[in-house]
Amino acid sequence: MNAFAVMIQDPEAPTYDRLNQKYDPANVYRVNKMTFLVRTKQLAEDVSVVAGIKGDERFVSGVVFKLNRYYAGYASRSLWEWLQEDEK
């Protein structure tokens, strides 16, 4: 599966709820109110439609980035574990 970072500009947008409705909640990780990670076999464009960033039902401005297997930074242990789950 691919991992995507979803970043929106409105913390009140229902993006997180929509992601959890479309994808298994185990494949959606909430970093904060405006940043989410999603694992799916779909394309970035598909994720952006579900997130409400693109398409006929667009309701928020934002961006979707496909993540690669290389990342670094400081974050909670749960984030690093979530990222590694698909690598097993």
Side-chain angles (χ1 to χ4, degrees):
M1 278 199 274
N2 297 314
F4 297 94
V6 178
M7 298 175 190
I8 60 173
Q9 292 185 346
D10 180 1
E12 302 303 319
T15 299
Y16 182 66
D17 294 335
R18 288 193 36 152
L19 293 171
N20 275 307
Q21 290 170 2
K22 174 67 177 179
Y23 306 111
D24 179 343
N27 289 325
V28 179
Y29 185 93
R30 185 177 193 156
V31 178
N32 58 45
K33 288 184 176 184
M34 299 188 298
T35 307
F36 315 97
L37 302 180
V38 177
R39 276 193 301 256
T40 181
K41 291 182 179 179
Q42 292 185 308
L43 302 174
E45 182 174 3
D46 301 318
V47 175
S48 69
V49 170
V50 173
I53 296 170
K54 188 173 181 177
D56 295 335
E57 297 180 28
R58 180 181 176 274
F59 56 83
V60 69
S61 294
V63 64
V64 174
F65 294 103
K66 182 178 178 186
L67 302 177
N68 60 29
R69 301 251 183 239
Y70 306 101
Y71 37 78
Y74 179 80
S76 68
R77 174 180 268 174
S78 63
L79 171 61
W80 300 120
E81 290 173 355
W82 187 91
L83 285 167
Q84 291 173 349
E85 281 181 23
D86 198 45
E87 295 176 4
K88 296 176 184 175

